[in-house]
Each structure stands twice: as C-alpha cells, then as structure tokens.
Amino acid sequence: MRGRKFIYRRVIFYIVVILLAIFALLPFFWMLSTSLKETKALTTIPIQWLPEKPSFDPYLKLFEVFPFGRAIFNSLFISIIGTFISVLSASMAAFVFGKIEFRGREVLFGFFLATMMIPGNLLMIPNYLILRSLNLLDSYTGVLLPSFFNAFGTFLLRQNIKSLPDSYLEAAFMDGASRIKVFFKIILPLIKPALTTVTVLTFMGNWNSYLWPLIVLTSKEKMTLTVGLSLLNGQHMSDYNMLMAGAIISIIPMIIVYAFSQKYIEVGFNVGGLK
Amino acid sequence: MVTLNKRRKSLDVLFFLLPSLFGLIVFQMLPFGYSFFLSLTDWDVLSKINFLGLDNYINILKSSEFWKVLGNTLYYMVLYIPLILIVSLGLASLLNFKVPGRKVFRVIFYIPVLTSWVAAALLWRWLLSPYYGPINEILQFFGLNGPSWLYDKHWAMPGIVFASIWKDMGYFGLIFLSALQSIDKTYYEAAKIDGASAFQNFFKITLPLISPTMFFVIIISIINSFQLFPQVMIMTQGGPYGSTQVMVERIYTYAFDYYKMGYATAFSWILFVFIFVATIIQLKLQNKWVHYEG
C-alpha cells in the first residue's frame, strides 16, 4: 500500500512542479522566439509560438539603432570596476571592524549598519545634485563613486573575519608583518568563500541596477544595458523582436555567473535573509 | 590582540577605513542631511532657492494625488502579498520533497530572479499584449476572454502583480525552502505516531515553525512594494489614467522631469517614514523571536 501512495505523491509532485516550471520558463521561451521573428510575424492572429521564418535581423537592427556594443561594454566596465571598488573597500573596513580594536569601533560599526535602513531613493536626488556640483554627471566616475560604501558587504565580511582565530594574526605580527601585509596575505585568502559571495552578489546587483545609472548617464555612448533598453522601450515601443533580442543579451552574463557560482549566491542570500 | 606602537595603529585604522568613510560621508550622510534641507525649499535647480518650511509636506499630504498613489501601492500589496506567500511557500514545499530532479527545478525557478527588472518588464509588457501576447492566447484556449491588461485601468496593476510574482517566486521560494529544511524532523515523526494528517501537519507544525520566515517575507514584501519602480516605469509609465502611479515613480517624475527638487525630496521623506516604520517593526519582532528560540 505504501508503494501506491508513494507513486501517487510523486505523480502529483511532478505535475504541479512542471506546471510551475512552465510558468517560470514559458516567458523566456517567448522572449527567445520573439527575438528571432520578422517584424510582420509579431502581429499575426493566432500568434506564432515558433517563428515561421527565423531570422537574426532583430539582433542586427539592435546594433544599428543604438550603440548596443558600447552599452554592453559600459555595463561590463561599470559592473566590474564598481564591484572591485566596493568589495575592496568593504573588506578593508571589515578587517578593522573584525580584528583591530580602537575606541568608538562598535559605535561606528552600528552607524554602518544603520545606513542599511536608508532607502536608495531618498539619496538619489541629493546624490545627483552632488555629482552635478562636482561636474561628474554623465560620467563613469559619477556612477561609480557611491560604490565606495557597501554596508551589507562590510557586515558580511566582518562576521567572517571576526571568526578567524587571532593566533594566525598574532604569529604574523610577531614576525613583524605590517597590517597591510597581514590583510592581503593572510586575511583575504582565509575569507575567500565569503569574498566570492560578496563579489558575485555585488556584481549581479551592479549589472541589473537601473535607477541610479538612469539618472546619472544621459548620453547614449555612456549608457549601461538597462538604461539603453529602457530608452529603446520608449523609442521603439512595438519593435518587440528587437527589444526581446536586447533583453536576451542582457540576461546571458547573469546566467553564466549563476552557473559558476550558484552555491555562493545561495549562501549569500541565506545570510541576507536571516541577518 | 597585539598592539604595535599606538600612532602607527591609528594610522592603519584610518587607512583601512578611508575608502568606506569617504563613501559614507559623501554619498550617505551628506545627501541624507541635504535631502532633508531640500525638502523644506522650493528649489528647481535653476532659480533662487526659497525656504518654505513644511509647505511641501503639507501640500503633498493635501493633494489627492498622494492618496491615490498610496492607494495604488496598497492595492498592489493586497494582491501581491497573499499571492507571493502562497506561490513561494507552495514552491518551497514541493522542492522540499526528496525527489529526483529537484535540483534542476531549483535552478529553473531562480532564472527569473537573475533577470534584471528592466528585461523582465519589457518581456511582460509583451506577454500581456492584449491581441498578440501569449497570456491572452492561453486564456482564449480555455475559453476565457483576457482583459486588455496594461491598457485597462482596472487590469494594469494586476498585470504588474502578475509579472512581480513570476519574478520573485524563486527568491522567496528558496528562503522558505531553507526554513522548511531547518525544521526538526522529529516533530513530524511524533505527529505520525499520533496519526496526524498531512493537512494537520502543515497547519499545526509547519506553519507555526516557519512563522518567523513568513513574517520576514511579508515585511520585505511591504518594503519592496513601497519602492516599486522599474516595472511601472517600463510597463505602464504610471498609466492608464494614473492607475499604476506609485511613490518612486512620482519622485522620479517630479525630480527629473519637472525639476521640482524640493517637492520630490519631501515626497521621498514621506516614503522613508513608511519604510522606516516597517523596518523597525521587523527588527523589534525579529529580536523577540530570536529570544524565544534561544
């Protein structure tokens, strides 16, 4: 009897989970299929689930009407440099908060944490005006500057560094190593998993970020993919084949990053969820 | 902890904190104060700045627009929160079965989470197209006449909710999954001896034990709902007839289309109050729970 119940449960499991998986994936199928359609195939009734005459024209058109290659470069450049700045800055602060005692440390750390409660949209207008007065609007530097502060990364890395045994560091200090050397040669290698988690999450956040680059970057040559796509969305409202081609290109790097670092991403969000 | 010479130490501390302190002071603290100052003025970037006191706040709270926008946000929450709880908890319960292939499904449900909201919103604008979109085509297949979704003031917000459920279910699903996996199996074994049904198991054991996670998901959803932006910006631009106008969209429009920086920052401070209250409730109750279990 147990056997029959067991099979029932499995059948029900697969039916429900497959239905949900279709819900999750069908939109992507539609995205891909649309991106390979000719323009006149977009408005047929009934709709074409698969393109009758597949074509790569939407992809070519994308690069014609917009400096899309440039946008890919901008997104990569800003995401990589921004992640580097953010993770380095956060791990340096985390080292101090985790391992070097000084007066006012806990208060300052509390202050770091408290900033996590301030929503980005409260800061975006004044930050825009600050960049404006520094003459840094529409520049890579302007978009990147706020990356120097990463409260969540600092918090996560500090938890990790704090749990490292003091004896490692003491031995190094005995040998006369400087703190900078200890940081780069001992601390960073020891916290590699947490460092990877923070790096991957920061990179994904940067790649997908929209509101901040939308405000700062106004010339087509500087725009990131998200900003460029939203501009195209306004100017080519019904060229869905081209828009979907652009969307696909913007997703590919995220899938690649996820494929290589799934376990780090999930660790990170567990910590984020239960912090 | 080892102490070298004292001055050397404070120099080192400063060195390591410098990048973060720069970001903290220039792009967190300064703008925080600056935005409050701006919210008390009528600055429009070009003309002279005038001090208004609390006029911006009063005008916002007196405007019918503010209450409409708040209503739209609440409408979004009322639809979104129950749905995301059911879908993501359902998803987590399914993935909690020890069945071949569940790792693959985990990955599948995470793909929408990886997608940027810009790409997802472009996609959903097209999926929800009244005549040429697959959603209405599928509804038609079941004999239903789909609405005009984003072109209909009654259906635009449900359309945005639909897209948001699709995008977020994998994220909250994995959070629920880790909560389910942390439940001690002996509870269920004891219940089995007592002859409890699956139904009773769920409501008497699972639900109470994951209630802290449930609460966390609800609060995060509330905080996120107050800050809806890319989906609205790309799918509807606040339309039709303002039925999907929400706070961040208004703030963006006032600041960067009309350059009413004072009015826009006052709006963002009102939004901040809502988010702050939600965050405090979460922190307070979260501590309580940690205490319980400890």
Side-chain angles (χ1 to χ4, degrees):
Chain A
M1 281 319 277
R2 188 182 174 276
R4 181 184 280 179
K5 199 176 171 194
F6 181 75
I7 290 169
Y8 266 156
R9 281 183 123 188
R10 287 226 160 161
V11 168
I12 291 171
F13 167 85
Y14 281 115
I15 289 174
V16 181
V17 95
I18 286 171
L19 282 176
L20 276 167
I22 290 173
F23 175 51
L25 290 184
L26 195 68
F28 290 109
F29 169 75
W30 183 244
M31 189 188 247
L32 185 63
S33 147
T34 303
S35 76
L36 296 169
K37 279 180 192 169
E38 300 173 305
T39 302
K40 62 174 191 284
L42 296 174
T43 49
T44 57
I45 293 179
I47 62 172
Q48 296 179 13
W49 286 98
L50 283 167
E52 265 169 23
K53 273 196 261 162
S55 113
F56 275 106
D57 289 350
Y59 288 87
L60 300 177
K61 196 173 158 201
L62 188 62
F63 286 83
E64 268 166 38
V65 302
F66 190 83
F68 209 76
R70 186 69 206 227
I72 296 172
F73 168 80
N74 291 339
S75 267
L76 278 173
F77 181 78
I78 291 174
S79 305
I80 291 171
I81 303 289
T83 305
F84 177 77
I85 293 174
S86 177
V87 175
L88 182 65
S89 167
S91 51
M92 284 168 73
F95 172 44
V96 171
F97 286 129
K99 280 291 177 228
I100 303 180
E101 273 175 49
F102 63 93
R103 221 173 43 184
R105 185 176 76 164
E106 297 315 308
V107 176
L108 187 61
F109 185 62
F111 208 76
F112 267 56
L113 294 186
T115 61
M116 284 203 264
M117 291 205 273
I118 307 174
N121 46 58
L122 182 69
L123 304 177
M124 73 179 179
I125 297 170
N127 275 341
Y128 168 85
L129 295 170
I130 290 169
L131 289 188
R132 185 171 169 272
S133 60
L134 295 172
N135 243 329
L136 285 173
L137 285 181
D138 201 22
S139 73
Y140 294 143
T141 316
V143 186
L144 287 170
L145 276 179
S147 307
F148 275 100
F149 185 73
N150 176 356
F152 178 66
T154 308
F155 169 75
L156 213 146
L157 294 172
R158 178 249 190 193
Q159 300 303 91
N160 245 267
I161 292 175
K162 210 178 158 73
S163 67
L164 297 175
D166 281 341
S167 52
Y168 288 173
L169 307 184
E170 273 159 22
F173 284 132
M174 292 293 189
D175 293 342
S178 68
R179 284 204 173 77
I180 294 172
K181 203 165 173 190
V182 168
F183 173 69
F184 282 106
K185 297 269 151 127
I186 299 177
I187 301 277
L188 289 188
L190 282 174
I191 57 161
K192 236 182 202 159
L195 212 53
T196 313
T197 298
V198 175
T199 305
V200 171
L201 291 180
T202 309
F203 179 79
M204 294 173 77
N206 285 347
W207 182 268
N208 287 339
S209 103
Y210 174 53
L211 186 49
W212 180 241
L214 174 71
I215 293 167
V216 177
L217 304 171
T218 43
S219 62
K220 279 188 178 175
E221 283 65 39
K222 301 248 170 67
M223 284 181 181
T224 58
L225 276 174
T226 51
V227 181
L229 279 175
S230 85
L231 186 77
L232 283 177
N233 177 53
Q235 293 176 342
H236 300 265
M237 285 290 284
S238 45
D239 292 339
Y240 285 108
N241 47 359
M242 188 179 84
L243 294 173
M244 291 303 106
I248 294 228
I249 292 173
S250 81
I251 294 171
I252 290 171
M254 290 296 93
I255 307 265
I256 294 172
V257 169
Y258 180 68
F260 285 102
S261 53
Q262 189 193 353
K263 94 176 174 215
Y264 295 106
I265 292 169
E266 287 176 8
V267 168
F269 103 154
N270 274 343
V271 177
L274 304 167
K275 64 171 184 262
Chain B
M1 207 148 294
V2 194
T3 37
L4 297 171
N5 117 27
K6 236 187 171 160
R7 224 184 71 211
R8 169 89 193 281
K9 188 175 97 172
S10 33
L11 270 177
D12 276 359
V13 166
L14 193 64
F15 168 80
F16 280 106
L17 282 179
L18 205 58
S20 284
L21 285 179
F22 163 73
L24 175 68
I25 293 167
V26 182
F27 294 102
Q28 297 273 334
M29 287 164 66
L30 178 65
F32 190 71
Y34 190 22
S35 80
F36 186 67
F37 165 74
L38 281 174
S39 76
L40 305 174
T41 71
D42 69 347
W43 202 39
D44 62 359
V45 185
L46 298 171
S47 34
K48 215 177 113 257
I49 196 162
N50 286 309
F51 189 74
L52 294 180
L54 293 174
D55 281 6
N56 283 329
Y57 291 91
I58 294 165
N59 289 337
I60 290 169
L61 294 175
K62 276 206 310 218
S63 70
S64 59
E65 184 191 64
F66 172 76
W67 298 101
K68 187 181 76 188
V69 165
L70 191 63
N72 290 343
T73 306
L74 292 178
Y75 183 42
Y76 174 89
M77 283 184 204
V78 166
L79 295 175
Y80 173 83
I81 293 175
L83 271 172
I84 195 71
L85 286 177
I86 294 169
V87 174
S88 57
L89 186 54
L91 194 61
S93 318
L94 285 169
L95 296 179
N96 200 22
F97 279 111
K98 305 271 175 289
V99 166
R102 69 201 184 104
K103 285 228 168 88
V104 179
F105 287 116
R106 246 174 111 122
V107 173
I108 288 174
F109 296 117
Y110 210 70
I111 298 176
V113 181
L114 299 171
T115 308
S116 74
W117 248 124
V118 173
L122 283 171
L123 170 61
W124 276 86
R125 194 162 70 72
W126 178 218
L127 286 165
L128 292 170
S129 161
Y131 301 110
Y132 312 116
I135 303 278
N136 277 1
E137 178 90 359
I138 292 169
L139 289 176
Q140 186 109 55
F141 178 81
F142 290 104
L144 296 164
N145 251 330
S148 299
W149 294 110
L150 306 177
Y151 299 94
D152 179 332
K153 65 177 178 179
H154 300 293
W155 284 98
M157 195 56 105
I160 291 175
V161 171
F162 201 170
S164 305
I165 298 289
W166 172 80
K167 174 115 170 61
D168 297 341
M169 63 179 184
Y171 180 74
F172 290 125
L174 282 201
I175 289 183
F176 274 127
L177 181 60
S178 69
L180 291 177
Q181 285 171 344
S182 68
I183 295 177
D184 190 345
K185 296 288 169 289
T186 53
Y187 286 119
Y188 296 108
E189 281 155 19
K192 201 172 177 184
I193 293 166
D194 293 341
S197 68
F199 193 73
Q200 282 171 321
N201 269 349
F202 181 77
F203 282 98
K204 302 271 169 173
I205 302 175
T206 313
L207 215 49
L209 284 173
I210 61 162
S211 62
T213 307
M214 193 114 156
F215 180 74
F216 173 81
V217 170
I218 292 173
I219 293 283
I220 294 294
S221 300
I222 291 175
I223 293 175
N224 290 345
S225 305
F226 275 120
Q227 305 188 75
L228 281 185
F229 182 70
Q231 51 271 63
V232 169
M233 198 63 185
I234 285 173
M235 290 169 78
T236 62
Q237 273 103 44
Y241 304 105
S243 59
T244 56
Q245 284 180 347
V246 287
M247 290 199 198
V248 180
E249 180 267 338
R250 289 288 85 196
I251 294 167
Y252 177 85
T253 306
Y254 279 117
F256 301 105
D257 287 346
Y258 308 147
Y259 290 100
K260 291 169 82 172
M261 295 301 174
Y263 197 79
T265 42
F267 219 119
S268 63
W269 271 88
I270 293 174
L271 169 58
F272 176 49
V273 170
F274 284 107
I275 295 171
F276 189 75
V277 170
T279 312
I280 294 294
I281 294 174
Q282 189 218 334
L283 291 177
K284 278 259 151 44
L285 290 177
Q286 196 176 5
N287 288 341
K288 216 169 167 181
W289 268 312
V290 172
H291 210 75
Y292 264 31
E293 289 163 2

